[in-house]
Amino acid sequence: MPTSLFPTATASAPRRKSVAAPADPAVTDKARAVHARLCPVYGCPIPYFHSLDPASELISSLLSHRTRNAESGRAFKALRARFPDWEAVIDADVAEIQAAIAGVTWPELKAPRIRDVLVAVRDRCGSLDLAFLAGMDVAAARAWLEAIPGIGPKTSAAVLSFSTLRMPALPVDSHHHRVAQRLGLIGPRIDVGPSHAILRAQLPADWSAQDLYDNHEILMLHGQQVCHHRRPACGRCVLVDLCPSAALTAREP
């Protein structure tokens, strides 16, 4: 494999990562108990929701930031319909990209970001084929991606986990993050980005890509369907005895 596909001494250095401290055994036990309880509720193993190549998953993830899945999905389809391939997006005017993704949150920011990220990938790889990431371990693959401005922990994990790479990375979205905070798996001041390393460290190191995908999906689904942002339905939550937040205030029955 050509060495030009990988970072070199002259490549831009990866941004500083948050390193998780060793997990508290009690919190680790809780994280695994949460997984064991939620899996039967949401039907693990959960089928992957799509099978995009890594570059396409990268675009999909960038579109999804602070945007509902339905809107980001429509924008992704609109981009694919408007441009023959992702190389054509690089050559397009930003206004044309923005028009195609008009339904997402902040299209005026995402349009130039998408093009800039694609340019950076091509400059580093010589193409937009990210299949070589499969030959790296997860930490190295995430560092390679996150060295590109505009790619953070959530996007790098999504590319590795959700795409056809099917690598064992743990994405954390806003629903997943909220549930983890209420359960006390992460502190109240831990943002989504730093939470990735902390929550991954609480789960077995040898878990497969499917195991970690299931963990993300069940916590996300629980946040969407039960542990709502405004009025969590604690009365029908299978985790209520594990959740310190449930005892604080009256919740939706």
Side-chain angles (χ1 to χ4, degrees), residues 123-141:
D123 286 349
R124 298 184 74 194
C125 294
S127 76
L128 297 179
D129 185 356
L130 292 171
F132 72 89
L133 293 173
M136 298 180 170
D137 64 35
V138 168

Side-chain angles (χ1 to χ4, degrees), residues 27-46:
V27 178
T28 294
D29 288 346
K30 180 188 279 192
R32 298 177 190 192
V34 166
H35 185 91
R37 287 199 197 179
L38 291 182
C39 261
V41 175
Y42 297 106
C44 297
I46 297 174

Side-chain angles (χ1 to χ4, degrees), residues 11 14 47 83 100 114 121 134 136 164 181 195 209 216:
F83 301 102
I114 286 169
V121 168
M136 298 180 170
T164 50
Q181 279 191 324
S195 75
H216 163 70

